Short mmCIF file of all heavy atoms in Angstrom, two decimals:
data_model
loop_
_atom_site.label_atom_id
_atom_site.label_comp_id
_atom_site.label_asym_id
_atom_site.label_seq_id
_atom_site.Cartn_x
_atom_site.Cartn_y
_atom_site.Cartn_z
N MET U 1 0.88 -1.18 0.03
CA MET U 1 -0.01 -0.07 0.00
C MET U 1 0.83 1.22 -0.01
O MET U 1 1.83 1.40 0.78
CB MET U 1 -0.86 -0.04 1.24
CG MET U 1 -1.92 1.11 1.31
SD MET U 1 -2.73 0.96 2.94
CE MET U 1 -4.31 0.66 2.38
N LYS U 2 0.70 2.18 -0.91
CA LYS U 2 1.40 3.37 -1.00
C LYS U 2 0.92 4.38 -0.12
O LYS U 2 -0.28 4.53 0.13
CB LYS U 2 1.41 3.89 -2.42
CG LYS U 2 2.06 3.00 -3.44
CD LYS U 2 2.06 3.70 -4.81
CE LYS U 2 2.79 2.87 -5.81
NZ LYS U 2 2.75 3.37 -7.12
N LYS U 3 1.84 5.09 0.53
CA LYS U 3 1.42 6.19 1.51
C LYS U 3 1.66 7.50 0.77
O LYS U 3 2.71 7.70 0.09
CB LYS U 3 2.34 6.16 2.74
CG LYS U 3 2.05 4.99 3.59
CD LYS U 3 2.90 5.08 4.88
CE LYS U 3 2.61 3.84 5.78
NZ LYS U 3 3.43 3.94 7.02
N LEU U 4 0.77 8.39 0.94
CA LEU U 4 0.84 9.70 0.31
C LEU U 4 1.58 10.68 1.33
O LEU U 4 1.34 10.60 2.53
CB LEU U 4 -0.55 10.28 0.00
CG LEU U 4 -1.33 9.53 -0.98
CD1 LEU U 4 -2.71 10.14 -1.12
CD2 LEU U 4 -0.62 9.66 -2.34
N ILE U 5 2.48 11.55 0.77
CA ILE U 5 3.11 12.46 1.59
C ILE U 5 2.18 13.69 1.77
O ILE U 5 1.77 14.27 0.77
CB ILE U 5 4.50 12.93 0.99
CG1 ILE U 5 5.35 11.69 0.86
CG2 ILE U 5 5.11 14.01 1.79
CD1 ILE U 5 6.68 12.00 0.17
N THR U 6 1.83 13.98 3.04
CA THR U 6 0.91 15.14 3.30
C THR U 6 1.67 16.40 3.24
O THR U 6 2.92 16.44 3.34
CB THR U 6 0.27 14.87 4.64
OG1 THR U 6 1.28 14.99 5.64
CG2 THR U 6 -0.49 13.61 4.75
N ALA U 7 0.97 17.43 3.26
CA ALA U 7 1.47 18.83 3.31
C ALA U 7 2.31 19.01 4.64
O ALA U 7 3.26 19.67 4.64
CB ALA U 7 0.41 19.86 3.14
N ALA U 8 1.78 18.50 5.68
CA ALA U 8 2.35 18.65 6.94
C ALA U 8 3.80 17.91 6.96
O ALA U 8 4.76 18.46 7.48
CB ALA U 8 1.57 18.10 8.08
N THR U 9 3.85 16.75 6.32
CA THR U 9 5.12 16.03 6.25
C THR U 9 6.15 16.87 5.43
O THR U 9 7.29 16.92 5.68
CB THR U 9 4.91 14.64 5.54
OG1 THR U 9 3.94 13.94 6.42
CG2 THR U 9 6.19 13.89 5.58
N MET U 10 5.64 17.37 4.26
CA MET U 10 6.56 18.19 3.42
C MET U 10 7.02 19.45 4.10
O MET U 10 8.18 19.83 3.98
CB MET U 10 5.85 18.59 2.12
CG MET U 10 5.53 17.44 1.16
SD MET U 10 7.13 16.62 0.63
CE MET U 10 7.74 17.90 -0.36
N ALA U 11 6.18 20.04 4.89
CA ALA U 11 6.53 21.22 5.63
C ALA U 11 7.58 20.89 6.75
O ALA U 11 8.58 21.61 6.93
CB ALA U 11 5.35 21.84 6.34
N ALA U 12 7.53 19.72 7.35
CA ALA U 12 8.51 19.23 8.35
C ALA U 12 9.86 19.00 7.70
O ALA U 12 10.93 19.36 8.21
CB ALA U 12 8.00 18.01 9.06
N ILE U 13 9.80 18.33 6.50
CA ILE U 13 11.01 18.05 5.79
C ILE U 13 11.67 19.30 5.35
O ILE U 13 12.88 19.51 5.50
CB ILE U 13 10.72 17.21 4.58
CG1 ILE U 13 10.32 15.77 4.96
CG2 ILE U 13 11.95 17.08 3.67
CD1 ILE U 13 9.77 14.88 3.92
N SER U 14 10.84 20.29 4.83
CA SER U 14 11.50 21.62 4.50
C SER U 14 12.09 22.29 5.65
O SER U 14 13.17 22.89 5.55
CB SER U 14 10.40 22.48 3.85
OG SER U 14 9.87 21.96 2.74
N LEU U 15 11.45 22.25 6.82
CA LEU U 15 12.00 22.96 8.03
C LEU U 15 13.26 22.27 8.40
O LEU U 15 14.22 22.98 8.79
CB LEU U 15 11.00 22.82 9.08
CG LEU U 15 11.37 23.54 10.41
CD1 LEU U 15 11.53 25.02 10.22
CD2 LEU U 15 10.25 23.35 11.51
N VAL U 16 13.37 20.96 8.44
CA VAL U 16 14.66 20.31 8.75
C VAL U 16 15.79 20.71 7.81
O VAL U 16 16.84 20.96 8.15
CB VAL U 16 14.42 18.76 8.80
CG1 VAL U 16 15.77 18.08 8.92
CG2 VAL U 16 13.49 18.40 9.94
N SER U 17 15.48 20.76 6.51
CA SER U 17 16.50 21.03 5.58
C SER U 17 16.88 22.47 5.56
O SER U 17 18.11 22.80 5.43
CB SER U 17 16.04 20.76 4.11
OG SER U 17 14.99 21.62 3.70
N ILE U 18 16.09 23.36 6.03
CA ILE U 18 16.48 24.82 6.17
C ILE U 18 17.31 24.94 7.39
O ILE U 18 18.22 25.66 7.48
CB ILE U 18 15.25 25.71 6.20
CG1 ILE U 18 14.55 25.77 4.87
CG2 ILE U 18 15.52 27.08 6.72
CD1 ILE U 18 13.17 26.45 4.84
N SER U 19 16.92 24.21 8.47
CA SER U 19 17.61 24.40 9.78
C SER U 19 18.97 23.77 9.65
O SER U 19 19.79 24.08 10.51
CB SER U 19 16.75 23.85 10.94
OG SER U 19 16.69 22.43 10.81
N THR U 20 19.22 22.84 8.83
CA THR U 20 20.59 22.17 8.69
C THR U 20 21.43 22.81 7.59
O THR U 20 22.60 22.42 7.40
CB THR U 20 20.48 20.73 8.44
OG1 THR U 20 19.69 20.53 7.31
CG2 THR U 20 19.73 19.99 9.64
N SER U 21 20.98 23.86 6.94
CA SER U 21 21.70 24.51 5.93
C SER U 21 22.84 25.26 6.53
O SER U 21 22.68 25.87 7.60
CB SER U 21 20.77 25.39 5.08
OG SER U 21 19.88 24.75 4.42
N PRO U 22 23.95 25.32 5.83
CA PRO U 22 25.13 26.12 6.39
C PRO U 22 24.80 27.61 6.49
O PRO U 22 24.15 28.15 5.56
CB PRO U 22 26.33 25.82 5.52
CG PRO U 22 25.65 25.35 4.18
CD PRO U 22 24.34 24.75 4.65
N ILE U 23 25.24 28.22 7.53
CA ILE U 23 25.00 29.71 7.62
C ILE U 23 26.33 30.43 7.23
O ILE U 23 27.43 30.09 7.73
CB ILE U 23 24.64 30.06 9.06
CG1 ILE U 23 23.27 29.36 9.43
CG2 ILE U 23 24.49 31.56 9.34
CD1 ILE U 23 22.91 29.47 10.80
N VAL U 24 26.23 31.42 6.46
CA VAL U 24 27.35 32.22 6.02
C VAL U 24 27.38 33.53 6.81
O VAL U 24 26.37 34.28 6.77
CB VAL U 24 27.37 32.51 4.52
CG1 VAL U 24 28.53 33.37 4.13
CG2 VAL U 24 27.38 31.31 3.75
N TYR U 25 28.38 33.72 7.65
CA TYR U 25 28.53 34.94 8.42
C TYR U 25 29.36 35.94 7.63
O TYR U 25 30.55 35.71 7.43
CB TYR U 25 29.17 34.65 9.72
CG TYR U 25 28.30 33.74 10.59
CD1 TYR U 25 28.62 32.43 10.74
CD2 TYR U 25 27.19 34.24 11.25
CE1 TYR U 25 27.82 31.63 11.54
CE2 TYR U 25 26.38 33.43 12.01
CZ TYR U 25 26.71 32.06 12.12
OH TYR U 25 25.95 31.30 12.89
N ALA U 26 28.72 36.94 7.03
CA ALA U 26 29.43 37.87 6.32
C ALA U 26 30.23 38.93 7.20
O ALA U 26 29.62 39.39 8.14
CB ALA U 26 28.53 38.60 5.36
N GLY U 27 31.39 39.20 6.76
CA GLY U 27 32.15 40.20 7.60
C GLY U 27 32.43 41.44 6.74
O GLY U 27 31.63 41.68 5.86
N PRO U 28 33.45 42.12 7.08
CA PRO U 28 33.80 43.33 6.44
C PRO U 28 34.16 43.26 4.95
O PRO U 28 34.57 42.15 4.50
CB PRO U 28 34.96 43.95 7.23
CG PRO U 28 35.54 42.77 7.92
CD PRO U 28 34.40 41.79 8.08
N THR U 29 33.93 44.25 4.16
CA THR U 29 34.40 44.25 2.81
C THR U 29 35.46 45.27 2.62
O THR U 29 35.70 46.11 3.46
CB THR U 29 33.17 44.67 1.89
OG1 THR U 29 32.80 46.00 2.22
CG2 THR U 29 31.99 43.72 1.98
N MET U 30 36.23 45.11 1.52
CA MET U 30 37.29 46.04 1.18
C MET U 30 37.62 46.05 -0.25
O MET U 30 37.27 45.10 -1.02
CB MET U 30 38.61 45.77 2.04
CG MET U 30 39.40 44.62 1.68
SD MET U 30 40.86 44.35 2.72
CE MET U 30 41.79 45.80 2.42
N THR U 31 38.20 47.12 -0.76
CA THR U 31 38.70 47.29 -2.11
C THR U 31 40.12 47.44 -2.05
O THR U 31 40.59 48.36 -1.40
CB THR U 31 37.97 48.43 -2.80
OG1 THR U 31 36.52 48.23 -2.83
CG2 THR U 31 38.40 48.54 -4.23
N THR U 32 40.83 46.62 -2.72
CA THR U 32 42.29 46.65 -2.70
C THR U 32 42.93 45.96 -3.98
O THR U 32 42.17 45.66 -4.92
CB THR U 32 42.77 45.94 -1.43
OG1 THR U 32 44.15 46.10 -1.23
CG2 THR U 32 42.40 44.54 -1.26
N THR U 33 44.14 45.54 -3.90
CA THR U 33 44.87 44.80 -4.96
C THR U 33 45.39 43.53 -4.31
O THR U 33 45.63 43.44 -3.15
CB THR U 33 45.93 45.64 -5.61
OG1 THR U 33 46.81 46.08 -4.65
CG2 THR U 33 45.34 46.76 -6.40
#
């Protein structure tokens, strides 16, 4: 029997993938050579 993925399940999967994504901490910028 096949199970359907509900909207709640998809939302939970999306939340987990977003919370485990790497975070980029941006620092100062500069113009130089």
Side-chain angles (χ1 to χ4, degrees):
M1 185 187 243
K2 293 183 179 180
K3 293 184 181 182
L4 296 175
I5 298 177
T6 64
T9 305
M10 289 301 291
I13 291 171
S14 297
L15 183 59
V16 169
S17 66
I18 290 171
S19 65
T20 59
S21 298
I23 298 172
V24 176
Y25 297 103
T29 61
M30 74 181 299
T31 300
T32 186
T33 57

